[in-house]
Amino acid sequence: MGRPITIRRAVARDAKRLTRLVRGSGAYSGKYAAAVAGYRVGPDYIEAHRVFVAVGADEHGDRVLGFYSLVLAPPELDLLFVADEAQGRGIGRLLVAHMLSEARAAGLDCVKVVSHLPAEGFYHRVGAVRVGTVLANPPVLPWDRPEFEFRVPAE
């Protein structure tokens, strides 16, 4: 692709694309598929939270390469997804840096994230510190998940 990646605020019309990105994530295949099978990122969710998308232009126009959702109360990185074909290009790291900037602007000093097991290494690499474990919640999530915290740097 090679074209610049921009991050913009998500709008209601992004909802279907974001839902497809979540449901189609290779990280949630096999035994993890049930966790996102009926998941929906709706326009109401986008309006209620700080949802931002990473967009890259290609011959078909703007393409959503990833997104995140920052919930302010309590402070949590609720969703962070990068399209399978866009992984390994620094988009996740770019989204985390943007999230930390948004968190700082909102006056937050830390942001928690409950990680999907395959994403644990990613969160370590982008500076999150493991602070605990969220216990399984069967039948939808029959496995424990690591909980991380990002310290929001002061400007």
Side-chain angles (χ1 to χ4, degrees):
M1 215 179 275
R3 297 197 178 116
I5 295 165
T6 57
I7 296 179
R8 65 164 170 79
R9 188 82 184 243
V11 294
R13 73 177 180 274
D14 291 320
K16 287 182 181 174
R17 287 197 283 183
L18 301 185
T19 296
R20 278 195 304 273
L21 202 157
V22 170
R23 290 183 184 175
S25 173
Y28 284 90
S29 61
K31 70 178 184 176
Y32 300 118
V36 296
Y39 199 86
R40 179 178 165 270
V41 180
D44 52 338
Y45 182 89
I46 290 170
E47 289 175 21
H49 303 294
R50 294 182 184 211
V51 181
F52 289 86
V53 295
V55 178
D58 65 14
E59 62 277 2
H60 305 293
D62 282 351
R63 198 158 147 249
V64 172
L65 303 173
F67 77 102
Y68 77 87
S69 170
L70 176 62
V71 175
L72 297 181
E76 180 182 9
L77 176 60
D78 186 37
L79 300 169
L80 174 63
F81 282 85
V82 174
D84 290 351
E85 67 276 7
Q87 290 184 8
R89 295 178 39 207
I91 294 166
R93 187 174 292 277
L94 190 65
L95 288 168
V96 166
H98 190 276
M99 180 275 300
L100 290 171
S101 176
E102 283 293 310
R104 183 175 44 254
L108 304 176
D109 61 359
C110 68
V111 176
K112 295 220 175 184
V113 60
V114 178
S115 175
H116 180 46
L117 286 171
E120 187 172 2
F122 166 77
Y123 286 113
H124 277 296
R125 288 190 301 278
V126 295
V129 176
R130 182 145 183 193
V131 294
T133 300
V134 175
L135 299 179
N137 182 18
V140 176
L141 295 171
W143 54 85
D144 294 346
R145 295 168 294 148
E147 184 176 36
F148 289 89
E149 184 175 273
F150 285 101
R151 300 295 303 164
V152 179
E155 275 194 278

